Amino acid sequence: MTSAESICYTLINSSSITDEPNETTLKNEIEHGDVRTKTEALKKVILMTLNGEKLQGLLMTIIKYLLPSDNHTIKKLLLIFWEIWPKTDAQGKLRPEMILVCDAYRKDLQHPNEFIRGSTLRFLCKLRQSELIEPLMPAIRSCLEHRHSYVRRNAVLAIYTIFRKFDQLIPDAPELIHEFLEGEKDASCKRNAFMMLIHADQERALDYLSTCIDQVNTFNDILQLVIVELVYKVCHANPTERARFIRCIYNLLQSSSQAVRYEAAGTLVTLSNAPTAIRAAAQCYIELIVKEADNNVKLIVLDRLVELKDHPLHEKVLQELVMDILRALSSPDLEVRRKTLDLALDLISSRNVEDLVKFLEKEVTKSANAQGHDNTDKYRQLLVKCMHACTVKFPDTAALVIPVLMEFLGDSEELAAADVLVFVREAVHRYEQHKPLILDKLLEVFPSIRTAKILRGVLWILGEYCEGTARILRFVTEVRNSVGELPMVENELKLAAGEEVEKEEETEKTGKSSSSRQVTEMGTYVTQSAFSVAKSKSNKSQQNRPPLRQFFMDGDFSLAGSLSTSLTKQALRFLATCPDERKQNSFIAQSMLILSSVMHLGRSSLPKKAISDDEVDRLTVCLKVLAERDDTMADIFTSKCRTSLSNLLEIRAAEESVQRRAAERNKTALCAADDPINFAQLLAKADAGSLEDQFELSLSAAVGTLKQKKEAKDPTSSKLNKVTQLTGFSDPVYAEAYVHINQYDIVLDVLVVNQTSDTLQNCTVELATLGDLKLVEKPSPLTLAPHDFANIKASVKVASTENGIIFGNIVYDVTGAVSDRNCVVLNDIHIDIMDYIQPATCSDAEFRQMWAEFEWENKVTVNTNICQLVPFLQHILKSTNMKCLTPEKALGDESGFLAANLFAKSIFGENALANVSIEKPVGNGPVTGHIRIRAKSQGMALSLGDKMNLSQKKTKK
């Protein structure tokens, strides 16, 4: 088998060379040019060698004219050149010219300049020919005693790599490095030496650590990190050593380096499940979150705390540290605050809920004073949701939370106020003991509400839940004050006429002069115009209008429907509670007067916008109900609406309980009663070995997040499904590709088989992309023997969520043929958008907000042969990886119509929204309707629409 891959240590950015020089030109420049010309020629040789050119005739020229040079740039380029130049011939034997190179580098290892010595030592780490390294061993050993730390540090690395590859060249390397470590003072040299002992001779490393374990806190951070790694490996391999070194880890929790403290805390969690250890690690994590300025670090450490929380034994310890975790809210980053609040909510208990609520109240007060920040409103919304969740879990805290949250209703921003309204609606329905407090507080803040959406919701809540004669009368009084003097049209006409009279009088007073001079408090004169006075009076009249009337005058009659139903419900309840017929008639008349005045105002020309027909129909129905006082309509208004809300809350509570149970099931138990016991002494070596990172593996096991991969049982079956055939079986070159999709890139593992009896030279897979894909690296050419095969890998970068196509061909030369290059065209590889889309959830308010913000919409007409509504929706969900946000109980197809909202999120953070509106025609015909898709990018909207079109056409009866 021919391998198309070779080990690469250095990456060089090569710009495209338009005019490639020939070998003779390069040889002339190296022999007769100045230093600058030689440098440029050597760069061209390196780039041409990387591109596959064979320049064997230049080898002796370079050795003769460039190798003896003392120029540092040429020496640095020569290190790269010897790294990429083939050092063996076709039979695998070392080229004789390399003896001269070896002698030159022996001299460089004895050079007085420390940079040349250190660079040469780094180069020797990359050599894989023991014949070249063996003559240099005495010089490498002498570098350990050099005066400069740069040379000593690289000498240790060189000895380590040589011992790992060719231990026969320096068998006493561990002993040599141990002696070097005991006498070394430089931190970087000690770190390299200690790391070598960890991997080469752990016993010597432990001996050294035992002699200086009390001075660990005084070490440099790079050495402390290596010590943490050693302690972890030793304790993982030999658990009896934990008691010996766990005190060292405790000491490193107090290190001045944030990285050392983070690694020490993670190691401590894996070594011990004791509550004191978990508490110490958690406190260390919290200190890192509070003191670290980088928000990315804060999020990473918060993830560690979340993993600790998922462990059943560690959760109780973290519950005691909730108030400390909330210190992370001092960060201005919204994502850090959101994750902190989510973690605190998961750790809430009856012991700390009161302290948590009081802390959130202080944060609410602080956020009210912090104006001018972009994320203040969103942060207040997060606080409201958190307090809402606390009240749902612990209803006894409602008395503390409700007065604080009610203050949000008067906010000019709708984000927090809307969430408060949802909380109030749920609280007044569920908590009967807190209903008087909530209603009285709502009536108190009613006059201060200045947002139409919030006022509409408050009207509905008060109209639905105000009971008792006194509270009903108080509600009507507040509504009457908010509407103003009745009838509204006549009152507005009088106000307008009064303003006109004032304007005329003001004009007469200032008839001779359009402006008047006045004296200010400072004794200076100012000029006031009659036009500015009239304008200020007009603004003053608008400010004097009551809130509801001002909304109506601005043309916002969406409040009319909520006002009419609220007054109608209160009037019908007043009829049932008040036996006095005269008071009943008075109350009904007053309610009808308000509603008729609103209708009259809407039909007049006074408002900026006229009332809509829907609102007129609503007002008319309510007036008719009040006039007729029918028992059936009274039951609908007073009972059925509350039943609908009750059903909605039950559906949401059921969904939350299902999600909670699913989360509890996902938590892996520490150990079950019937789990087998594994003894470390009886494990085979093959069982103990693993290609995975042992630290991450054991840390995941310690915090309870270790999960088995889906492909672990049968990896071949899942991989075979991703193999794409690129050529036919009768083609000279057969090729197939395994498409491995990571998060942000695609790796193509192409198998190329030579099916001919000829040797194929310069066989190259040439690829191109269509869509938002980018080929990262060009596959290198290779030579295929007769009936030989090789694997070629290519990486493609994915920039956004949309469909893409990878296409190309295979070109090759046949040995001895005089014809042009041969070419085999490859089949296209289609990259499906579904590989990047994952189901996600969001609230109804967030869905509506994103629906309004996203500018790209794709409307797909339903064309299928499925005759049922719900099965069609389930088929769309399965085909597009989207999640249905509409509750299942609302998807009943008895009405013949179905509307549902779908949501998904890509791995790039892009959101995709969809609204399914379908109906079942009369008879047994297929489902008809439309699916509207909205996304922030055009490619995602179009690709998702194409996927839906294809999936519904493939369906069979």
Side-chain angles (χ1 to χ4, degrees), residues 86-106:
K87 304 168 189 63
T88 56
D89 54 18
Q91 286 74 32
K93 295 182 179 180
L94 191 69
R95 295 179 183 272
E97 296 91 343
M98 298 307 298
I99 303 299
L100 300 174
V101 178
C102 182
D103 184 65
Y105 282 118
R106 184 182 58 80

Side-chain angles (χ1 to χ4, degrees), residues 596-613:
S596 58
S597 297
V598 173
M599 186 187 298
H600 189 195
L601 179 66
R603 288 177 169 175
S604 66
S605 58
L606 294 176
K608 295 179 182 178
K609 294 180 182 178
I611 190 172
S612 64
D613 293 338

Side-chain angles (χ1 to χ4, degrees), residues 483-738:
V483 169
E485 189 176 344
L486 298 175
M488 286 187 279
V489 175
E490 287 77 359
N491 184 256
E492 288 295 326
L493 291 174
K494 287 180 183 178
L495 288 175
E499 288 179 9
E500 292 295 331
V501 172
E502 289 180 4
K503 287 180 184 177
E504 291 175 2
E505 292 177 355
E506 193 68 33
T507 307
E508 290 176 1
K509 289 179 183 179
T510 59
K512 295 182 180 180
S513 175
S514 61
S515 62
S516 60
R517 300 182 68 188
Q518 295 184 356
V519 182
T520 64
E521 295 178 355
M522 304 297 294
T524 58
Y525 289 99
V526 294
T527 303
Q528 184 178 18
S529 173
F531 298 104
S532 64
V533 173
K535 186 177 179 181
S536 65
K537 285 182 175 290
S538 176
N539 291 336
K540 195 172 182 181
S541 66
Q542 289 186 7
Q543 291 175 0
N544 290 334
R545 284 197 186 108
L548 265 175
R549 180 177 292 193
Q550 185 61 51
F551 284 124
F552 292 149
M553 291 299 295
D554 292 338
D556 190 355
F557 283 95
S558 61
L559 288 164
S562 182
L563 177 64
S564 61
T565 52
S566 299
L567 284 176
T568 304
K569 291 176 184 177
Q570 292 297 289
L572 294 173
R573 287 199 178 92
F574 189 81
L575 293 177
T577 56
C578 182
D580 191 345
E581 188 174 352
R582 184 179 176 185
K583 291 182 179 180
Q584 292 179 359
N585 293 334
S586 174
F587 192 96
I588 294 292
Q590 187 177 9
S591 301
M592 296 178 72
L593 175 62
I594 295 173
L595 299 183
S596 58
S597 297
V598 173
M599 186 187 298
H600 189 195
L601 179 66
R603 288 177 169 175
S604 66
S605 58
L606 294 176
K608 295 179 182 178
K609 294 180 182 178
I611 190 172
S612 64
D613 293 338
D614 291 339
E615 303 301 335
V616 171
D617 293 341
R618 179 71 66 85
L619 290 169
T620 305
V621 169
C622 291
L623 286 171
K624 185 177 180 181
V625 170
L626 291 175
E628 295 179 353
R629 307 184 190 181
D630 183 64
D631 292 339
T632 304
M633 296 303 295
D635 181 62
I636 292 174
F637 271 86
T638 56
S639 301
K640 300 297 183 183
C641 293
R642 193 174 300 187
T643 304
S644 299
L645 175 62
S646 179
N647 293 336
L648 174 65
L649 295 178
E650 287 177 3
I651 291 172
R652 290 186 176 176
E655 290 180 350
E656 291 175 359
S657 64
V658 169
Q659 294 176 357
R660 201 181 311 107
R661 286 197 297 269
E664 290 175 357
R665 282 198 302 269
N666 290 335
K667 285 186 179 181
T668 56
L670 192 61
C671 62
D674 55 349
D675 281 352
I677 300 175
N678 292 327
F679 295 95
Q681 292 83 355
L682 302 179
L683 285 177
K685 291 184 178 180
D687 296 333
S690 175
L691 296 177
E692 297 184 46
D693 185 357
Q694 286 295 325
F695 177 76
E696 292 295 331
L697 187 67
S698 60
L699 182 59
S700 300
V703 298
T705 58
L706 183 62
K707 296 181 181 178
Q708 291 184 347
K709 296 182 179 179
K710 293 181 180 178
E711 300 178 2
K713 293 184 178 179
D714 192 4
T716 55
S717 62
S718 59
K719 287 186 176 182
L720 290 176
N721 292 332
K722 298 179 181 180
V723 172
T724 304
Q725 186 176 344
L726 301 180
T727 62
F729 293 109
S730 60
D731 288 321
V733 178
Y734 173 77
E736 63 182 22
Y738 168 61

Side-chain angles (χ1 to χ4, degrees), residues 738-752:
Y738 168 61
V739 184
H740 181 66
I741 297 176
N742 296 323
Q743 274 205 331
Y744 302 108
D745 59 348
I746 301 170
V747 178
L748 298 178
D749 190 354
V750 184
L751 172 66
V752 181

Side-chain angles (χ1 to χ4, degrees), residues 357-370 376 379-384 387 404-405 407-408 411:
V357 169
K358 289 180 180 178
F359 180 86
L360 294 177
E361 289 178 2
K362 292 179 182 178
E363 284 295 311
V364 166
T365 307
K366 266 197 249 177
S367 64
N369 298 330
T376 301
Y379 179 49
R380 287 164 67 85
Q381 186 181 15
L382 288 177
L383 292 173
V384 169
M387 297 175 78
V404 179
L405 294 185
E407 302 298 331
F408 282 90
D411 270 5

Side-chain angles (χ1 to χ4, degrees), residues 757-950:
S757 301
D758 301 319
T759 300
L760 306 184
Q761 294 181 335
N762 294 327
C763 184
T764 308
V765 179
E766 297 179 348
L767 298 175
T769 58
L770 184 65
D772 207 353
L773 305 174
K774 183 180 179 182
L775 191 65
V776 177
E777 55 182 348
K778 180 182 177 183
S780 57
L782 66 152
T783 301
L784 287 177
H787 304 290
D788 195 5
F789 63 95
N791 284 86
I792 301 175
K793 287 190 177 181
S795 297
V796 179
K797 198 73 175 176
V798 184
S800 65
T801 311
E802 60 179 273
N803 293 330
I805 299 175
I806 302 174
F807 58 95
N809 48 44
I810 296 177
V811 293
Y812 59 91
D813 295 328
V814 179
T815 304
V818 294
S819 60
D820 295 335
R821 300 197 73 184
N822 298 282
C823 178
V824 178
V825 180
L826 304 178
N827 289 335
D828 296 342
I829 301 175
H830 293 268
I831 305 302
D832 195 356
I833 187 178
M834 291 302 104
D835 294 321
Y836 308 108
I837 288 184
Q838 300 169 348
T841 57
C842 68
S843 64
D844 294 341
E846 292 171 343
F847 185 91
R848 286 192 293 268
Q849 183 179 359
M850 288 188 288
W851 187 269
E853 291 176 355
F854 290 173
E855 54 185 358
W856 292 104
E857 179 174 318
N858 187 8
K859 190 174 182 180
V860 179
T861 302
V862 174
N863 182 16
T864 184
N865 46 18
I866 299 178
C867 299
Q868 299 297 324
L869 299 178
V870 176
F872 176 78
L873 178 63
Q874 297 296 335
H875 174 69
I876 291 295
L877 294 176
K878 184 178 179 181
S879 303
T880 59
N881 283 350
M882 302 189 80
K883 182 178 177 64
C884 182
L885 301 180
T886 307
E888 290 185 8
K889 292 187 178 180
L891 296 178
D893 54 351
E894 299 175 358
S895 61
F897 178 83
L898 186 147
N901 293 332
L902 314 182
F903 182 65
K905 183 174 288 188
S906 73
I907 59 176
F908 305 101
E910 299 172 319
N911 296 322
L913 313 176
N915 176 259
V916 180
S917 298
I918 51 177
E919 61 180 344
K920 184 168 58 176
V922 179
N924 237 357
V927 171
T928 59
H930 295 88
I931 303 174
R932 296 169 63 195
I933 304 164
R934 286 200 181 184
K936 210 166 189 177
S937 61
Q938 182 184 18
M940 189 169 187
L942 294 177
S943 300
L944 203 54
D946 294 341
K947 181 66 180 177
M948 288 188 177
N949 270 325
L950 291 173

